[in-house]
Amino acid sequence: MYTNQSEENESVKVVSGEPTMTEGTTGLKDILPGQPTTVSGAAGATGGINAGNFIDTAIDDQLFHFNNEDTPLMNLMLRAKRVQVNSPVVDHYMIDEAKSVVYTNFKCGGDSRGTCTLPLSQGDANAVRPHTTLLVKGVNGYEEDGNTVTPGKDLMLFVSGEDSSSGMPVVRAVNGKKTSPEDEYSQIPEIPKGTKIVILANSLYETQKEVDPDLILPQPTRIYLQKRGMNQVVSDYFESQKKRMPFSQAVIAEQAIANFKVRGNRTLWASRAGKFKVQVPKMGMQYVFTTEGLRWQFRRELEEPGTWTVDKIIAMAKMFFTGEDVPKSALLLAGKNLLESIQKVDYSKHPEIQITTKVNSVGWTVTNFHTVFGDIEIKREPTLDRLGWSNSGALIGENRLVHYVYSEEHAFTDRVEGEEATRSGLLIWDAVALKGTCHIWINGEGTDSEGAANLIKLWDLPTAPAEEDIHDGMTLYLTVNCPGIDSCAKSGQLWKASGTGNGAKWSMVQGEV
């Protein structure tokens, strides 16, 4: 039977000390956080309909299935390589591939001497050990007679030792110029400043068996696994009622799990690592661990708060697919504004680029952006919008994630001690980490970068940045030739500033970033 208006108004009075309803994302006050599911609690959440006045009505069954696509990162984590660990603190190791290319800091060679000291940076000099062979790109070698130049066939050097004063490698030419074909040693042609030199294998003499060893020490990143839990308490009386909405324990649990997943997804993106102690009644001091979100794990960050173009997208694909760490696929989880910006790019002048819709290996319907470097699958990540990163996104190698698990996800059901109610819940203790260095965070918010990422800005102007915008370490990826920086600054190169303002000096970044 229905209550009259006066009774209904009377029933919605707020009792002093009772928790107030909390608004959700759309402003509806329909959430009572931290409260068990009882008839009285439900009355407060449904406008004051008291026990005994619940009625059955038809309801949209799809109401409880609205957020299946709301947690893409968590779904990726659950598909990633699972590593069972025996501690909530994990050393996550990453090993870089050895340096394959070095560049000269000054010109060298070009005289009659048979050897010269190769001018490299101190770090590059350590990578070039004695007895190594080097290929000098852009400098022509000679035929075996030492007199005939071989256009397009690069000069090769042999590292004969190390300069005692500078520590730089001392080299001799393998296919250099000779005064006479019978000469044992050849002269080294001039090697210009900034010349690219590729490191090849070592070459040993007839009886040699000892060379400098390679010491490889993987550098760990400390990862904390976070214990997350979800509880629901349902009174026996509530479960036995006929209700205005067809609640059941299963439906309530489904919604609680959905909320648990959505909040967990935000944590996987944006949480900051922490470890601290709390006082637990009857249990003493215990540790709480918070995990490091994926946003802060990226080693490379691309700053692009402006308008996207085809050139910029291709530059991003080039950076992702052509480093030392080459992934199989690229998945771009994007905020809504970044997704809109990419969708509005004019592709009419690039008929070779294909944009299609497909179902990927995860089972998502994605926009597939095909480039010559590789395919980028684009999907919206609603969590980025909620975190204030609508203009940003994460370019991730799908097979480059690790899911560390200390305690498997498990459900439990207990009777509440001293109460006619049942407590059910979920517990999981885990973390997600990036493996490899291919991943790129796209920062489109126009804010300063945080963390240890290498920040790169896409630059599509032929002029240098304004003096007041230049800061020390500023790195630009050029999508056009930029004589304003340097006459040698070409499209597709990385250039870095040393110093600030008018006193900044630009130099080409050597190797991969």
Coordinates of all heavy atoms in Angstrom, one line a residue, residues 142-224:
Y142 N 88.3 2.9 -49.8 CA 89.1 2.7 -51.0 C 89.2 1.2 -51.4 O 89.0 0.3 -50.5 CB 90.5 3.2 -50.8 CG 90.6 4.7 -50.8 CD1 90.2 5.4 -49.7 CD2 91.1 5.5 -51.9 CE1 90.3 6.8 -49.6 CE2 91.1 6.9 -51.9 CZ 90.7 7.5 -50.7 OH 90.8 8.9 -50.7
E143 N 89.5 1.0 -52.6 CA 89.8 -0.4 -53.1 C 91.0 -1.0 -52.4 O 91.7 -0.2 -51.7 CB 90.0 -0.4 -54.6 CG 88.7 -0.1 -55.4 CD 87.7 -1.2 -55.4 OE1 87.9 -2.3 -54.8 OE2 86.7 -1.1 -56.1
E144 N 91.3 -2.2 -52.6 CA 92.4 -2.9 -51.9 C 93.7 -2.2 -52.3 O 94.7 -2.2 -51.5 CB 92.4 -4.4 -52.2 CG 93.4 -5.2 -51.3 CD 93.3 -6.6 -51.6 OE1 92.4 -7.1 -52.3 OE2 94.1 -7.4 -51.0
D145 N 93.8 -1.6 -53.5 CA 95.1 -1.0 -53.9 C 95.3 0.3 -53.1 O 96.4 0.9 -53.2 CB 95.1 -0.8 -55.4 CG 93.9 0.1 -55.9 OD1 93.3 0.8 -55.0 OD2 93.7 0.2 -57.1
G146 N 94.3 0.8 -52.4 CA 94.4 2.1 -51.7 C 94.4 3.3 -52.5 O 94.7 4.4 -52.0
N147 N 94.0 3.2 -53.8 CA 94.1 4.4 -54.7 C 92.8 4.7 -55.2 O 92.5 5.9 -55.5 CB 95.1 4.1 -55.8 CG 95.3 5.3 -56.7 OD1 95.5 6.4 -56.2 ND2 95.4 5.1 -58.0
T148 N 91.9 3.7 -55.4 CA 90.6 3.9 -56.1 C 89.5 4.1 -55.0 O 89.3 3.1 -54.2 CB 90.3 2.7 -57.0 OG1 91.3 2.5 -57.9 CG2 89.0 3.0 -57.8
V149 N 88.8 5.2 -55.1 CA 87.7 5.4 -54.1 C 86.5 4.5 -54.5 O 86.2 4.3 -55.7 CB 87.3 6.9 -54.1 CG1 86.1 7.2 -53.2 CG2 88.4 7.8 -53.7
T150 N 85.8 4.0 -53.5 CA 84.7 3.2 -53.7 C 83.4 3.9 -53.2 O 83.0 3.8 -52.1 CB 84.8 1.9 -53.0 OG1 85.0 2.1 -51.6 CG2 85.9 1.0 -53.5
P151 N 82.8 4.7 -54.1 CA 81.6 5.5 -53.7 C 80.5 4.6 -53.2 O 80.1 3.6 -53.8 CB 81.2 6.2 -55.0 CG 82.4 6.2 -55.9 CD 83.1 4.9 -55.5
G152 N 79.9 5.0 -52.0 CA 78.9 4.3 -51.4 C 79.3 3.1 -50.6 O 78.5 2.5 -49.9
K153 N 80.6 2.8 -50.6 CA 81.1 1.7 -49.8 C 81.9 2.4 -48.7 O 83.0 2.9 -48.9 CB 82.0 0.7 -50.6 CG 81.3 -0.1 -51.6 CD 82.2 -1.0 -52.4 CE 81.4 -1.9 -53.4 NZ 82.3 -2.8 -54.1
D154 N 81.3 2.3 -47.5 CA 81.8 3.1 -46.4 C 83.2 2.7 -45.9 O 83.6 1.5 -46.0 CB 80.9 3.0 -45.2 CG 79.5 3.6 -45.5 OD1 79.4 4.6 -46.2 OD2 78.5 3.0 -45.1
L155 N 83.9 3.7 -45.3 CA 85.2 3.4 -44.6 C 85.0 2.6 -43.4 O 84.0 2.7 -42.7 CB 85.8 4.8 -44.3 CG 87.1 4.7 -43.4 CD1 88.3 4.2 -44.3 CD2 87.4 6.1 -42.8
M156 N 85.9 1.6 -43.2 CA 85.9 0.8 -41.9 C 87.1 1.0 -41.2 O 88.2 1.1 -41.7 CB 85.7 -0.7 -42.3 CG 85.3 -1.5 -41.0 SD 84.6 -3.1 -41.4 CE 86.2 -4.1 -41.5
L157 N 87.0 1.1 -39.8 CA 88.1 1.3 -38.9 C 88.2 0.1 -38.0 O 87.3 -0.6 -37.7 CB 87.8 2.6 -38.1 CG 87.6 3.9 -38.8 CD1 87.2 5.0 -37.8 CD2 88.7 4.3 -39.6
F158 N 89.5 0.0 -37.5 CA 89.8 -1.0 -36.5 C 90.3 -0.3 -35.3 O 91.2 0.5 -35.4 CB 90.8 -2.0 -37.1 CG 91.3 -3.0 -36.1 CD1 90.6 -4.1 -35.8 CD2 92.6 -2.9 -35.5 CE1 91.0 -5.1 -34.9 CE2 93.0 -3.8 -34.5 CZ 92.2 -4.9 -34.2
V159 N 89.8 -0.7 -34.1 CA 90.2 0.0 -32.9 C 91.5 -0.8 -32.4 O 91.4 -1.9 -31.9 CB 89.1 -0.1 -31.8 CG1 89.6 0.7 -30.5 CG2 87.8 0.6 -32.3
S160 N 92.6 -0.1 -32.5 CA 93.9 -0.7 -32.1 C 94.3 -0.5 -30.7 O 95.1 -1.2 -30.1 CB 95.0 -0.2 -33.0 OG 95.1 1.2 -32.9
G161 N 93.6 0.4 -30.0 CA 94.0 0.7 -28.6 C 93.2 1.8 -28.0 O 92.2 2.2 -28.6
E162 N 93.7 2.4 -26.9 CA 93.0 3.4 -26.2 C 94.0 4.5 -25.9 O 95.1 4.2 -25.4 CB 92.4 2.9 -24.9 CG 91.6 3.9 -24.1 CD 91.0 3.2 -22.9 OE1 90.0 2.4 -23.1 OE2 91.4 3.5 -21.8
D163 N 93.7 5.8 -26.1 CA 94.6 6.9 -25.8 C 94.7 7.0 -24.3 O 93.7 7.1 -23.6 CB 94.0 8.2 -26.4 CG 94.9 9.4 -26.2 OD1 95.9 9.5 -26.9 OD2 94.6 10.2 -25.3
S164 N 96.0 7.0 -23.8 CA 96.2 7.0 -22.4 C 95.8 8.3 -21.7 O 95.5 8.2 -20.5 CB 97.7 6.8 -22.2 OG 98.5 7.8 -22.8
S165 N 95.8 9.4 -22.4 CA 95.5 10.7 -21.7 C 94.0 11.0 -21.8 O 93.4 11.4 -20.8 CB 96.2 11.8 -22.4 OG 95.9 11.9 -23.8
S166 N 93.3 10.7 -22.9 CA 91.9 11.1 -23.0 C 90.9 9.9 -22.8 O 89.8 10.1 -22.6 CB 91.6 11.7 -24.4 OG 91.9 10.7 -25.4
G167 N 91.4 8.7 -23.0 CA 90.6 7.5 -22.9 C 89.8 7.2 -24.1 O 89.0 6.3 -24.2
M168 N 90.1 8.0 -25.2 CA 89.4 7.8 -26.5 C 90.0 6.6 -27.3 O 91.2 6.4 -27.1 CB 89.4 9.1 -27.3 CG 88.7 10.3 -26.7 SD 86.9 9.9 -26.5 CE 86.5 11.0 -25.1
P169 N 89.2 6.0 -28.1 CA 89.7 4.9 -28.9 C 90.7 5.4 -30.0 O 90.5 6.4 -30.6 CB 88.5 4.2 -29.5 CG 87.4 5.3 -29.5 CD 87.7 6.1 -28.3
V170 N 91.8 4.6 -30.2 CA 92.7 4.9 -31.2 C 92.4 3.9 -32.4 O 92.3 2.7 -32.1 CB 94.2 4.7 -30.8 CG1 95.2 4.8 -31.9 CG2 94.5 5.7 -29.6
V171 N 92.2 4.4 -33.6 CA 91.8 3.6 -34.7 C 92.7 3.7 -35.9 O 93.5 4.6 -36.0 CB 90.4 4.1 -35.2 CG1 89.3 3.9 -34.1 CG2 90.4 5.5 -35.6
R172 N 92.7 2.7 -36.7 CA 93.4 2.7 -38.0 C 92.4 2.3 -39.1 O 91.3 1.6 -38.8 CB 94.5 1.7 -38.0 CG 94.2 0.3 -37.6 CD 95.3 -0.7 -37.6 NE 95.7 -1.0 -39.0 CZ 96.6 -1.9 -39.3 NH1 97.2 -2.6 -38.4 NH2 96.9 -2.1 -40.6
A173 N 92.6 2.6 -40.3 CA 91.7 2.4 -41.4 C 91.9 1.0 -41.9 O 93.1 0.5 -42.1 CB 91.9 3.4 -42.5
V174 N 90.9 0.3 -42.2 CA 90.9 -1.0 -42.9 C 91.0 -0.9 -44.4 O 91.8 -1.6 -45.0 CB 89.7 -1.9 -42.5 CG1 89.7 -3.2 -43.2 CG2 89.7 -2.2 -41.0
N175 N 90.2 0.0 -44.9 CA 90.2 0.2 -46.4 C 90.4 1.7 -46.7 O 89.6 2.4 -47.4 CB 88.8 -0.2 -46.9 CG 87.6 0.4 -46.3 OD1 87.7 0.9 -45.1 ND2 86.5 0.5 -47.0
G176 N 91.5 2.3 -46.1 CA 91.8 3.7 -46.3 C 92.7 3.9 -47.6 O 93.0 3.0 -48.3
K177 N 93.2 5.1 -47.7 CA 94.1 5.5 -48.8 C 95.5 5.0 -48.5 O 96.0 5.2 -47.4 CB 94.0 7.0 -49.0 CG 94.8 7.5 -50.2 CD 94.6 9.0 -50.4 CE 95.4 9.5 -51.6 NZ 95.3 11.0 -51.7
K178 N 96.2 4.6 -49.6 CA 97.6 4.1 -49.5 C 98.4 4.9 -50.5 O 98.0 5.2 -51.6 CB 97.7 2.6 -49.7 CG 97.1 1.7 -48.7 CD 97.3 0.3 -49.1 CE 96.7 -0.7 -48.0 NZ 96.9 -2.1 -48.4
T179 N 99.7 5.2 -50.1 CA 100.6 5.8 -51.0 C 101.1 4.8 -52.0 O 101.3 5.1 -53.2 CB 101.9 6.3 -50.2 OG1 101.4 7.2 -49.2 CG2 102.8 7.1 -51.2
S180 N 101.2 3.6 -51.6 CA 101.6 2.5 -52.5 C 100.8 1.2 -52.1 O 100.5 1.0 -50.9 CB 103.1 2.2 -52.3 OG 103.5 1.0 -52.9
P181 N 100.4 0.4 -53.1 CA 99.6 -0.8 -52.8 C 100.3 -1.7 -51.8 O 99.7 -2.5 -51.1 CB 99.4 -1.4 -54.2 CG 99.6 -0.3 -55.1 CD 100.6 0.6 -54.5
E182 N 101.6 -1.6 -51.7 CA 102.4 -2.5 -50.8 C 102.4 -2.1 -49.4 O 102.9 -2.8 -48.5 CB 103.8 -2.7 -51.3 CG 104.0 -3.5 -52.6 CD 103.6 -2.7 -53.8 OE1 103.7 -1.5 -53.8 OE2 103.2 -3.4 -54.8
D183 N 101.9 -0.8 -49.1 CA 102.0 -0.3 -47.7 C 101.2 -1.2 -46.8 O 100.1 -1.7 -47.1 CB 101.4 1.1 -47.7 CG 102.3 2.1 -48.4 OD1 103.5 1.8 -48.6 OD2 101.8 3.3 -48.6
E184 N 101.7 -1.4 -45.6 CA 101.0 -2.2 -44.6 C 99.9 -1.5 -44.0 O 98.9 -2.1 -43.6 CB 102.1 -2.7 -43.5 CG 101.6 -3.8 -42.6 CD 101.4 -5.1 -43.3 OE1 102.3 -5.4 -44.2 OE2 100.5 -5.8 -43.0
Y185 N 100.1 -0.2 -43.8 CA 99.0 0.6 -43.2 C 98.5 1.6 -44.2 O 99.2 2.1 -45.1 CB 99.6 1.4 -42.0 CG 100.0 0.5 -40.8 CD1 101.3 0.1 -40.7 CD2 99.1 0.0 -39.9 CE1 101.8 -0.7 -39.7 CE2 99.5 -0.8 -38.9 CZ 100.8 -1.2 -38.8 OH 101.2 -2.0 -37.8
S186 N 97.2 2.0 -44.0 CA 96.6 3.0 -44.9 C 96.3 4.2 -44.1 O 96.1 4.2 -42.9 CB 95.3 2.4 -45.6 OG 94.4 1.9 -44.6
Q187 N 96.1 5.3 -44.8 CA 95.8 6.6 -44.2 C 94.3 6.7 -43.9 O 93.5 6.1 -44.7 CB 96.3 7.7 -45.1 CG 97.8 7.7 -45.3 CD 98.1 8.7 -46.4 OE1 97.3 9.6 -46.8 NE2 99.4 8.6 -46.9
I188 N 93.9 7.5 -42.9 CA 92.5 7.7 -42.6 C 92.0 8.9 -43.3 O 92.5 10.0 -43.0 CB 92.3 7.8 -41.1 CG1 92.9 6.5 -40.4 CG2 90.9 8.0 -40.7 CD1 92.8 6.6 -38.9
P189 N 91.0 8.8 -44.1 CA 90.4 10.0 -44.8 C 89.8 10.9 -43.7 O 89.6 10.5 -42.5 CB 89.3 9.4 -45.7 CG 89.6 8.0 -45.9 CD 90.3 7.6 -44.6
E190 N 89.5 12.1 -44.0 CA 88.9 13.1 -43.0 C 87.5 12.6 -42.6 O 86.7 12.3 -43.5 CB 88.9 14.5 -43.6 CG 88.3 15.5 -42.6 CD 88.3 16.9 -43.1 OE1 89.4 17.4 -43.5 OE2 87.3 17.6 -43.1
I191 N 87.3 12.5 -41.4 CA 86.0 12.2 -40.8 C 85.4 13.4 -40.2 O 85.9 13.9 -39.2 CB 86.1 11.0 -39.8 CG1 86.8 9.8 -40.4 CG2 84.8 10.7 -39.2 CD1 87.1 8.7 -39.4
P192 N 84.3 14.0 -40.8 CA 83.7 15.2 -40.3 C 83.1 15.1 -38.9 O 82.8 14.0 -38.4 CB 82.6 15.6 -41.3 CG 82.9 14.7 -42.5 CD 83.6 13.5 -42.0
K193 N 82.9 16.2 -38.3 CA 82.2 16.3 -37.0 C 80.8 15.8 -37.2 O 80.1 16.1 -38.2 CB 82.2 17.7 -36.5 CG 81.4 18.0 -35.2 CD 81.3 19.4 -34.8 CE 80.4 19.6 -33.6 NZ 80.3 21.1 -33.2
G194 N 80.3 15.1 -36.2 CA 78.9 14.6 -36.3 C 78.7 13.3 -37.1 O 77.6 13.0 -37.4
T195 N 79.8 12.7 -37.6 CA 79.7 11.5 -38.4 C 79.1 10.3 -37.6 O 79.6 10.1 -36.5 CB 81.0 11.2 -39.0 OG1 81.5 12.2 -39.8 CG2 81.0 9.9 -39.8
K196 N 78.2 9.6 -38.2 CA 77.6 8.4 -37.6 C 78.6 7.3 -37.8 O 79.0 7.0 -38.9 CB 76.3 8.2 -38.2 CG 75.6 6.9 -37.7 CD 74.2 6.8 -38.4 CE 73.5 5.5 -37.9 NZ 72.2 5.4 -38.6
I197 N 78.9 6.6 -36.7 CA 79.7 5.4 -36.7 C 79.0 4.2 -36.1 O 78.6 4.3 -35.0 CB 81.1 5.7 -36.0 CG1 81.8 6.8 -36.6 CG2 81.9 4.4 -35.9 CD1 83.1 7.2 -35.9
V198 N 78.9 3.1 -36.9 CA 78.2 1.9 -36.5 C 79.2 0.9 -35.9 O 80.2 0.7 -36.5 CB 77.4 1.3 -37.6 CG1 76.7 0.1 -37.2 CG2 76.5 2.3 -38.3
I199 N 78.9 0.4 -34.7 CA 79.8 -0.5 -34.0 C 79.5 -1.9 -34.6 O 78.4 -2.4 -34.5 CB 79.5 -0.5 -32.5 CG1 79.8 0.9 -32.0 CG2 80.4 -1.5 -31.8 CD1 79.4 1.1 -30.5
L200 N 80.5 -2.6 -35.1 CA 80.4 -3.9 -35.6 C 81.1 -4.9 -34.6 O 81.4 -4.5 -33.5 CB 81.1 -4.0 -37.0 CG 80.6 -3.0 -38.1 CD1 81.4 -3.2 -39.4 CD2 79.1 -3.1 -38.3
A201 N 81.2 -6.1 -35.0 CA 81.8 -7.1 -34.2 C 83.3 -6.9 -34.0 O 84.0 -6.2 -34.8 CB 81.6 -8.5 -34.8
N202 N 83.9 -7.5 -33.0 CA 85.4 -7.4 -32.9 C 86.1 -8.4 -33.9 O 85.5 -9.3 -34.4 CB 85.9 -7.7 -31.4 CG 85.4 -9.0 -30.9 OD1 85.1 -10.0 -31.6 ND2 85.2 -9.1 -29.6
S203 N 87.3 -8.1 -34.1 CA 88.1 -8.9 -35.0 C 89.5 -9.2 -34.4 O 90.2 -8.3 -34.1 CB 88.3 -8.1 -36.4 OG 89.0 -8.9 -37.3
L204 N 89.7 -10.5 -34.1 CA 90.9 -10.9 -33.3 C 92.0 -11.4 -34.2 O 91.8 -11.8 -35.3 CB 90.5 -12.0 -32.4 CG 89.2 -11.8 -31.5 CD1 89.0 -13.0 -30.6 CD2 89.2 -10.5 -30.8
Y205 N 93.3 -11.2 -33.7 CA 94.4 -11.7 -34.5 C 94.5 -13.2 -34.3 O 93.8 -13.9 -33.5 CB 95.7 -11.0 -34.0 CG 96.0 -11.0 -32.6 CD1 96.5 -12.2 -32.0 CD2 95.8 -9.9 -31.8 CE1 96.9 -12.2 -30.6 CE2 96.1 -9.9 -30.4 CZ 96.6 -11.0 -29.8 OH 97.0 -11.1 -28.5
E206 N 95.5 -13.8 -35.0 CA 95.5 -15.3 -35.2 C 95.4 -16.1 -33.9 O 94.7 -17.1 -33.8 CB 96.7 -15.7 -36.0 CG 96.7 -15.1 -37.4 CD 98.0 -15.5 -38.1 OE1 98.3 -16.7 -38.2 OE2 98.7 -14.6 -38.5
T207 N 96.2 -15.7 -32.9 CA 96.3 -16.5 -31.7 C 95.6 -15.9 -30.5 O 95.6 -16.4 -29.4 CB 97.8 -16.7 -31.2 OG1 98.4 -15.4 -31.0 CG2 98.6 -17.4 -32.3
Q208 N 94.8 -14.8 -30.8 CA 94.1 -14.1 -29.7 C 92.9 -14.9 -29.2 O 92.1 -15.4 -29.9 CB 93.7 -12.7 -30.1 CG 93.1 -11.9 -29.0 CD 92.7 -10.5 -29.5 OE1 93.0 -10.1 -30.7 NE2 92.2 -9.7 -28.7
K209 N 92.7 -14.9 -27.8 CA 91.5 -15.5 -27.3 C 90.9 -14.6 -26.2 O 89.9 -14.9 -25.7 CB 91.8 -16.9 -26.7 CG 92.8 -16.9 -25.5 CD 92.9 -18.3 -25.0 CE 93.8 -18.4 -23.7 NZ 93.9 -19.8 -23.2
E210 N 91.7 -13.6 -25.7 CA 91.2 -12.7 -24.7 C 90.8 -11.3 -25.2 O 91.5 -10.7 -26.0 CB 92.2 -12.5 -23.6 CG 92.5 -13.8 -22.8 CD 93.5 -13.6 -21.7 OE1 94.0 -12.4 -21.6 OE2 93.9 -14.5 -21.0
V211 N 89.6 -10.8 -24.9 CA 89.1 -9.5 -25.2 C 88.5 -8.9 -24.0 O 88.3 -9.6 -23.0 CB 88.1 -9.5 -26.4 CG1 88.7 -9.9 -27.7 CG2 86.9 -10.4 -26.0
D212 N 88.3 -7.6 -24.0 CA 87.6 -6.9 -22.9 C 86.2 -7.6 -22.6 O 85.4 -7.7 -23.6 CB 87.4 -5.4 -23.1 CG 88.8 -4.7 -23.0 OD1 89.8 -5.4 -22.6 OD2 88.8 -3.5 -23.4
P213 N 85.9 -8.0 -21.4 CA 84.6 -8.5 -21.2 C 83.5 -7.5 -21.1 O 83.8 -6.3 -20.9 CB 84.8 -9.2 -19.8 CG 85.8 -8.4 -19.1 CD 86.8 -7.9 -20.2
D214 N 82.3 -7.9 -21.2 CA 81.1 -7.0 -21.1 C 80.4 -7.3 -19.8 O 80.0 -8.4 -19.5 CB 80.1 -7.2 -22.2 CG 80.6 -6.8 -23.6 OD1 81.3 -5.8 -23.6 OD2 80.3 -7.4 -24.6
L215 N 80.4 -6.2 -18.9 CA 79.7 -6.4 -17.7 C 78.3 -5.8 -17.9 O 78.1 -4.6 -18.2 CB 80.4 -5.6 -16.6 CG 79.7 -5.5 -15.2 CD1 79.5 -6.9 -14.6 CD2 80.5 -4.6 -14.3
I216 N 77.3 -6.6 -17.6 CA 75.9 -6.1 -17.8 C 75.2 -6.2 -16.4 O 75.1 -7.3 -15.8 CB 75.1 -7.0 -18.8 CG1 75.8 -6.9 -20.2 CG2 73.6 -6.6 -18.9 CD1 75.2 -7.8 -21.2
L217 N 74.8 -5.1 -15.9 CA 74.1 -5.0 -14.6 C 72.8 -4.4 -14.8 O 72.6 -3.2 -15.0 CB 74.9 -4.1 -13.6 CG 76.3 -4.6 -13.2 CD1 77.0 -3.6 -12.3 CD2 76.2 -5.9 -12.4
P218 N 71.7 -5.2 -14.8 CA 70.4 -4.7 -15.0 C 70.0 -3.8 -13.9 O 70.4 -4.0 -12.7 CB 69.5 -6.0 -14.9 CG 70.4 -7.1 -15.2 CD 71.8 -6.7 -14.7
Q219 N 69.3 -2.7 -14.2 CA 69.0 -1.7 -13.2 C 67.5 -1.9 -12.8 O 66.6 -1.8 -13.6 CB 69.1 -0.3 -13.8 CG 70.6 0.1 -14.2 CD 71.5 0.0 -13.0 OE1 71.2 0.7 -12.0 NE2 72.5 -0.8 -13.1
P220 N 67.3 -2.1 -11.5 CA 65.9 -2.4 -11.0 C 65.1 -1.1 -10.8 O 65.7 -0.1 -10.4 CB 66.2 -3.2 -9.7 CG 67.4 -2.6 -9.2 CD 68.3 -2.3 -10.4
T221 N 63.8 -1.3 -10.9 CA 62.9 -0.2 -10.5 C 62.0 -0.9 -9.4 O 61.5 -2.0 -9.6 CB 62.0 0.2 -11.7 OG1 62.8 0.8 -12.7 CG2 61.0 1.3 -11.2
R222 N 61.9 -0.2 -8.3 CA 61.2 -0.8 -7.2 C 59.7 -0.6 -7.4 O 59.2 0.5 -7.6 CB 61.6 -0.1 -5.9 CG 61.0 -0.6 -4.6 CD 61.3 -2.1 -4.3 NE 62.7 -2.4 -4.3 CZ 63.5 -2.3 -3.2 NH1 63.0 -1.9 -2.1 NH2 64.8 -2.7 -3.3
I223 N 59.0 -1.8 -7.4 CA 57.5 -1.8 -7.7 C 56.8 -2.3 -6.4 O 57.2 -3.3 -5.8 CB 57.1 -2.7 -8.8 CG1 57.8 -2.2 -10.1 CG2 55.6 -2.8 -9.0 CD1 57.2 -0.9 -10.7
Y224 N 55.8 -1.5 -5.9 CA 55.0 -1.9 -4.8 C 53.7 -2.5 -5.3 O 53.1 -1.9 -6.1 CB 54.7 -0.8 -3.8 CG 55.9 -0.2 -3.1 CD1 56.0 1.1 -2.8 CD2 56.9 -1.1 -2.6 CE1 57.1 1.6 -2.1 CE2 58.0 -0.6 -2.0 CZ 58.1 0.8 -1.7 OH 59.2 1.3 -1.0

